[in-house]
Every structure is written in C-alpha cells, then in structure tokens.
Amino acid sequence: MSDTTTIHAAFADHVRDALEALVVDCVLPAGLPLANVTVEPPRDPSHGDLATNAAMVLAKPAGSNPRVLAEALVGKLTALADVTGAEIAGPGFINLRVADSAWLAELRAIAALGGDYGRSNAGAGRVVNVEYVSANPTGPMHMGHCRGAVVGDALAALLEWAGSKVVREYYVNDAGGQVDTLARSVYLRYREALGETIEIPEGFYPGDYLKPIGALIAEDEGDRYLSEPEAEWLPIFRARAVAAMMDTIRGDLAMLGIHHDLFSSEAALQAAGKPEAAETWLRAHDLVYDGVLEAPKGKVVEDWEPVALPLFRSTKFGDDQDRPIRKSDGKWTYFGADLAYHMQKAESADELIDIWGADHAGTVKRIKAAVAALSEGEGKPIPFDVKLVQMVQLLRDGEPAKMSKRSGNFVTIADMVEEVGKDVVRFTMLTRKPEAQMDFDFAKVVEASKDNPVFYVQYAHARIRSTLRKAAAEGLAPSDADLALLGEAEIGLIKQAAQFPRVVESAAAAREPHRIAFFLYDLAAAFHAYWNLGNDDPSKRFILTDQPALTGARLFLGTQIGQVIRNGLGILGVEAVEEL
RNA sequence: GCGCCCGUAGCUCAGCAGGAUAGAGCACCAGAUUCCUAAUCUGGGGGCCAUGGGUUCGAAUCCCGUCGGGCGCACCA
C-alpha cells in the first residue's frame, strides 16, 4: 500500500493529535479512553464537513465540562491548514469545515490508490477464519443456503479490505448418518441404472440429481455391487456420492462467484482422532462427564427414555443444558465433532467467525461454550463470533414459491441464478441486514428498473464508463490539471465518495457487509442527481467540447466516482458493468 | 414453557457500535426528455421509531417488563 493518506484517516489522526497536545498542555489528563471519540460527517451538511463528539465524550472522564474542552480543542484544530472553520455547536459538537483543496487532494488520492482506495490495515494482518455455507453434501445448494453464502463471502472480502488475512472455509459434513443415507439412495439409483424398478423409501433422498451418479457407478463398475452386502459397498458409494455432491456444490458456489480457500472434511477430522483428543482434554478438566440427558421441555417426545451419554458441561458457560458429544452407539454427535473442528480452525487463526442459518440458533450457545472452554483452557482465548442469517422467504408475485425442476422439492441456487443472475441475487441478499428476515420475490427482482438497487448502482457506473468512452472519441481525456475549476456540486460528490474508506472500516468492524450496499446506493443516487443537472443546464454536463480544461476535470471526477463504485461492488462480489 | 432474532411512513427497508430537526425506495400527487443512456432527476403529502418503565448531558439505538411475528428446543446435521 502506498503512503497516500485518505482524508478520513487524516482527520481521525488530527483529532487524536489535538487531544494528545491537550494532554501535554495539561488541559486533559493522560490515558483517557478514546474509543468512543468519533470524527464523522454530520447528518446535516449545514453543520459542516466533519464533526467530532470528543468534547462531550471526554468531559466526564476528564472531570471537565464539554464547553471548556471544546474550546481548547477548537484552538488546536483551527491551526490546521485544511481547516477553514471550527465551531462549537449543540451540546458540545465541534463542527469543522474543510478546505476545497483538501477534497480535491482526496480526489487525487482516489486516483493514486485506484483499486486499493478504501483498503486499510485496521485488521493488522490478523488471520480471521470465516466458515460459511458448509451445506451438507447430500444435494445441490438451495435457497436456504444462499443468504449465508453471500453474506459470508462478502464479509470475507470486507475483512480483507480492512486489513485482515482471511481464510474462507467450508466444513464438509461427510461423516454422519446423513451421508450414509445418501450412499444408500445412490445405491438405489445404481440398481435402477442396471434395469431394476426401484421404490424410494421414506427418509431417503428422492431427488433426480442422484440418478447420474448411480448411472456412472454402474457404467464404471458394472453389476458387481448388486450381490455384495451393504458393508462392502457402502463406503465406496458414500465416497463417490460425496465427491459428486461436492462437485455440484462447488459448481453452485461458482455460479454465485464464491470460492473457498479450504474444504475441511469431518471424516478426515475424525480419522485424525481430533474429537478423541478434545474429549480426553475435557475429561481431564472435568468438563465432560458421563451423565443422563434430561427430557426435552415444552415438547412431548413419546418414545423418550433416559440414556447415559458423555456430556459436555456447557451449562458452565451459559448454555441451558449439558450437551452430548457422543451418541449411544459411541459415534460422535455433530457437536462432538464440531467442537474438535473449531479447535482445529483455531490452531491457524487469530479469530473465528461462523455464518449459520437461523434454524441453528439453538446450538450457538453450546459451540461458543466449547470454544471458550477449550481455548481458554489452552491459555489462548480466541475471539469467536457466530453470525446468524435469518430465513429468506421465496416469493413469486407475492405467493410462496416452491418446487424446482431439478430437485423435486426445493428451489436450487442454480435455478435462481439462471433466472435472475448472480449480481441480482448477491446484491439483493446484501441490501438487508442479515439478522432480519427477508422476502425474495422473483417477480420484483427481475424487474430491471424499479425496486431494484442493483441496476441503479450498476447504471451509475455504466453511465460514467460510457461518458468516458464518448469523450475519448472526441479526443477528451480525464485530467487533474485544472481541478480548481470544479464547483460546489462536484465537491459535494467528492465528499460523499470520500466516505468510502471509513464505511469499509466501520462495516468491517461491525461485520456488516450490507452497509457497503447502502453506501453504494447513496453514492449512485448522488451521481445520478449530479448528472441530471446537465438536463436543465447544458453547461453542467461532463463533455463540453469548447472547454477542454473543465471537461478534463469533470471526467477526472467521474473516473474516480466510478472507481469507488467499482471498489464497493468488488467487495460485494457484484460486477461493475461497462454498459447496461 | 424456555432460548435466540425481529418490530421505524400505507408497503419493503436504512439509520454509520448513544449524538444535533428520524431517512431512502415503492405506491400516491405535481413537474423535467432538441440530453454525455429518462434503467435517470426535481418538488409534495405521509412517523407517539410496537408498548410501559429505567440508565444520562442526550435513546429508534443500551437494560428490564408487556404485546405481536419468525426460528429452534433429546443421541438429526
């Protein structure tokens, strides 16, 4: 990264420096908590370009009052070259006005940083492991996986932009009973491929997508497995079925533009003895004991009977019940293996993030308990966050959409991407905060105009690119030679685009990629509004053949606005199109 | 019954880890097209931020209760 400083970072530093100077002057005591000090644009632009709440936040811990502090701070800040005004307002805000020349410098900074504008090193290179999707390898990806996939992927990119090293990981649940069922289902399709008439029992996977796998095995291996006992063929069919499903899933993910760095196999984890190691350690610390599971509450289970199982003391860490790590047949529960899996991830990361569907909300406490127990016990507590994405209700013209041509009973991601396109799916999933439920209506989302922010943002970018092409055809090019010709409207646009680095930083800190989407929407709106000034007043257009200097400056501005939009869309994994 | 998430304009949603007079789109009303793409823009009406308390200089935002909606609640993943 170059040493080009963005205006946002510079002023955050300026305020911090001013506060330190006040410490030296003995106006402030040393060691004040600065975490809540913000430097950000006020909502009302008439209040200036930037405002800080420093005086209000620090008054109490400093044993002073906001007014006195603010006046001292203003004294320091007015001395800055880029500051043309500093005043105290409201309950103790300090409003700053920043010289136009500083905004023009920011425009040059965007140009200098290009595709890196907005990156920071706030994450300080810490390794963050983001586990997302992790759909069971028992079928193609469907809508239930989509939101988590998109949110996880955008979050991963966002954290990279904010200076973390990110590992994108997929946990392949290839060890439980479900993949055995998958193998048996494929075995049926295998027999079918060899001419038998089959019936698919309750509880098997009925989808047509298993037919080609069965057929392929029949082709490769002939009828040799027909007469063999299940114990012989099951592992083979399981391995082939899982491999085929993972190929399908990787294909589905690729359609969404998602590529994981690491696929971790649960079977491999178990083969390596990781769950045993965790159990041994937990037993040694009295965190696993042999106990009896309580009957579920609030729900009648008819054939419930008490069983003795090895239980993890998750209640010690805030869970409602202790949780079994092995089943009564001695095999690992999902949780028993998952706990070891999280330890495995923690070995090579500074921080863990899981993206889960809301239907797994009930298991958050136990896994957090396990990670806390193991990592604190090992003397290396690791920050661990589980992000829950809420359900998406699929609609078609307001009616619930069901049924897929491929799977028989659910809408697949492949179907959806084919119908509405990757960019629409991704952007739409990201224009809502993940913890709120959302509707996804095919009818609305394919509409290329209204109600569809993707096109709105892409259109802004396309307009800019189109204008640059048109200008080039007339021999006009962007130039920063005469930026002083830019006026109030243009500076306003720069101010808005200049928020990008701090939006990236705060979105990353809050783990909320949707903020990028809303920022882009606002920036696009500002651009469209600016553009339309040229409708009423031709002198406000980009291309003015008789004024090459002004045209060059405006094209330079447009180029950088386009760059910011492109960078933001890049985080979201949405294409910045050249034309619509 | 218990746990987690949500409740902001008629509808769909933002609200930047507590800040100044709560915003946008859709819908509704009134306008802009000899234009670098009108897939756009300008203006207007519309809110007890579910509700009752609390915390403080300051609450849509944090805490507690209530109401309403969603998800989950044995060895399934």
Side-chain angles (χ1 to χ4, degrees), chain A residues 10 17 26 28 47 67 71 89 108 139 171 180 197 214 229 232 235 254 260 276 278 302 308 383 460 484 538 544:
Chain A
D17 290 348
C26 295
L28 282 176
H47 289 141
R67 197 82 202 171
E71 273 165 19
R108 290 194 178 90
Y171 184 41
D180 288 343
T197 305
E232 290 299 318
H260 287 81
E276 277 90 352
E302 301 200 345
L544 302 169

Side-chain angles (χ1 to χ4, degrees), chain A residues 565-579:
Chain A
I565 292 175
R566 172 179 289 270
N567 291 1
L569 287 175
I571 294 174
L572 304 183
V574 174
E575 200 184 337
V577 294
E578 290 293 314
E579 53 189 315

Side-chain angles (χ1 to χ4, degrees), chain A residues 3 100 147 203 293 398 407 447 496 548 577:
Chain A
D3 23 318
D100 284 358
R147 193 175 187 184
L293 222 46
S407 66
E447 247 179 86
Q496 199 158 341
V577 294

Side-chain angles (χ1 to χ4, degrees), chain A residues 432-444:
Chain A
R432 218 129 308 190
K433 56 183 173 188
E435 64 270 27
Q437 295 154 233
M438 73 177 285
D439 294 341
F440 186 94
D441 194 320
F442 280 95
K444 280 189 185 167

Side-chain angles (χ1 to χ4, degrees), chain A residues 81-102:
Chain A
D82 288 339
V83 172
T84 56
E87 59 198 34
I88 303 165
F93 287 101
I94 297 170
N95 292 330
L96 300 173
R97 284 174 205 284
V98 177
D100 284 358
S101 58

Side-chain angles (χ1 to χ4, degrees), chain A residues 112-169:
Chain A
L113 291 166
D116 288 329
Y117 182 73
R119 289 191 189 271
S120 76
N121 54 11
R126 284 164 55 82
V127 178
V128 182
N129 181 301
V130 184
E131 184 212 325
Y132 59 109
V133 188
S134 299
N136 288 333
T138 55
M141 289 183 63
H142 57 77
M143 272 306 301
H145 306 118
C146 184
R147 193 175 187 184
V150 170
V151 168
D153 201 53
L155 177 59
L158 178 60
L159 293 172
E160 276 178 345
W161 272 71
S164 298
K165 245 183 128 290
V166 174
V167 177
R168 296 163 167 83
E169 187 155 341

Side-chain angles (χ1 to χ4, degrees), chain A residues 354-387:
Chain A
D354 288 0
I355 313 289
W356 290 0
D359 51 342
H360 291 76
T363 63
V364 171
K365 281 184 179 176
R366 76 191 65 165
I367 193 67
K368 292 196 100 161
V371 171
L374 284 157
S375 67
E376 282 165 24
E378 298 280 17
K380 187 200 169 194
I382 186 162
F384 172 46
D385 201 7
V386 180
K387 298 280 291 180

